[in-house]
Amino acid sequence: MAVVTVIPSPEPELESPKKRTLRSYIWDTDSHLKSDAEKRLLLKLDLAILLTSCFGFLMKFLDQMNMTNAYISGMREDLSMFGNEYTYAGTAYTVGYAVMQVPSTLIVQKVTPALWLGLMEVGWGIWTFAQAGMTSSTHLYVFRFLVGLFEASFSPVVLYVIGSWYTSKELGKRATLFQLSAPIGACFSGYLQAAVYSNLDGVNGLAGWRWLYIVCGIMTVPVGLATFIFFPNTPYKKKPWFLTEEENALAIARVQRQGIAPPRPIALGTFKRIFTRWRWYAFVAGYVLYGCSSMAGGFFGIWLKSEGFSVVLSNVIPTGTWIISGFCLLVWGYLSDITESRFTWIFVAFILGLIPNGILAFWPASVPLKEFAFLTVGVQLVPGIFFAWAHEVCRDDNEERAVVASSMNGMSYVILAWLPIIIFPQTMAPDFRYGFTTSFGLLIAAAFAVVLIQLLVKRDERRKAEAGPAAQLEEASGSEKKHSGEFGGEFVQVQGFHGDSTNS
């Protein structure tokens, strides 16, 4: 009788955890978990979205800030702006900017973002160029309104698209890098005007401030054309030309795993759904308080000129504010991705911002102390992670996500259209007794507002957890059935890519 020896099968080897790479420390914290295919996808998205949007936003902020540089470089005298004309011109820009915030994110539900943003960018470049020919403050009001109207779409639409492609470990730093273009543009504007004033003032009979508008207009138009070519649509819509079918399917699988909802047709019920939840009211109120508390840095140059600083120094020294705020923006963005907490770093930034705002509110006699306050007042700037927070909280409703984020910026500018006239009138320069005190108080209120938002977010998370996985699965299934008719077989097509986005 033969003896059968049974050899036990070896225990399956457990896959060792993947080691973190240098890239996971300086870029995405989960880079070491991503497959090569997902890394290639992100590289393409970063090049297409971040490069075009950062250059565009840099030009947007450059064209927004050049009025301040032009004002202290001779425009005030040439256009006889000796009353509140500077404040009124800022209001004209703000009105135009506020008008198009929410409509722009609704328009790109029907029109491709690349086409819309490209047209808007070329348009504001033309109006910037046209300001070189102004002969009165009335012309300035009209052109600033048009520049604001055309610039308004850029920020909300770009942030909406960024929030449509990236995961929670990727979103904060990318939204921050986009917003970082603003202080870079502000810095560049100061150095550019200093260079233009020194080298072109009087050339062909034109003042240096007029040359600034010409140079900015010429720089803006080509960036608008690049936006038209490279900027993508959202993942659930038309495939970007630079992605393969497999990469596009992988992108959709990624956002589905994050719970980012696909678009739905816009109807009356859309707005009823949005305005019967707390999210629109809380995020808009919090951002408005924060946005209206962040005006102080814009008056640094005016104060420097009143202290007897030269035109060149009055343009260059305020760039320090933007350098410091840019560094802080980057730090807050990275820390919010690493910790996956937007609230923490928004709150920390607001608390630190109370120091320079408090100094300006009390307006001490010391010139160095006031200069320190102006230089560091940008520590509180956190637009990137504030918008990232709103996009994440509203990710389960595409239309709410679009409307909430654009309303945050739009309503902020609605208030900013008239508030500076009251608290920062030109005739109260340079100490602006109402303005700096009000900014200090608004920042305190903003800190309380973000605490309230965090409490509401945590309450919703507890309710969702208490509902149990069965109720969540039923909700997700109902949502998918609701959307499946709108996108045909696209959901079935990408299911196989869920396991292909990582090597785990």
Side-chain angles (χ1 to χ4, degrees), residues 306-354:
S306 73
E307 292 290 338
F309 288 81
S310 68
V311 169
V312 171
L313 287 177
S314 296
N315 278 290
V316 171
I317 292 176
T319 63
T321 301
W322 299 107
I323 292 171
I324 294 170
S325 66
F327 173 77
C328 292
L329 272 172
L330 206 57
V331 170
W332 305 143
Y334 268 80
L335 290 175
S336 76
D337 269 2
I338 292 170
T339 61
E340 294 189 68
S341 174
R342 313 301 179 197
F343 160 73
T344 299
W345 303 107
I346 293 172
F347 188 74
V348 167
F350 286 1
I351 296 303
L352 291 177
L354 291 174

Side-chain angles (χ1 to χ4, degrees), residues 35 70 73 144 149 172 194 222 263 288 332 342 367 397 408 457 489 500:
S35 66
S73 301
R144 294 310 290 177
L149 189 72
V288 166
W332 305 143
R342 313 301 179 197
V367 170
D397 190 320
M408 288 163 62
V457 170
D500 293 341

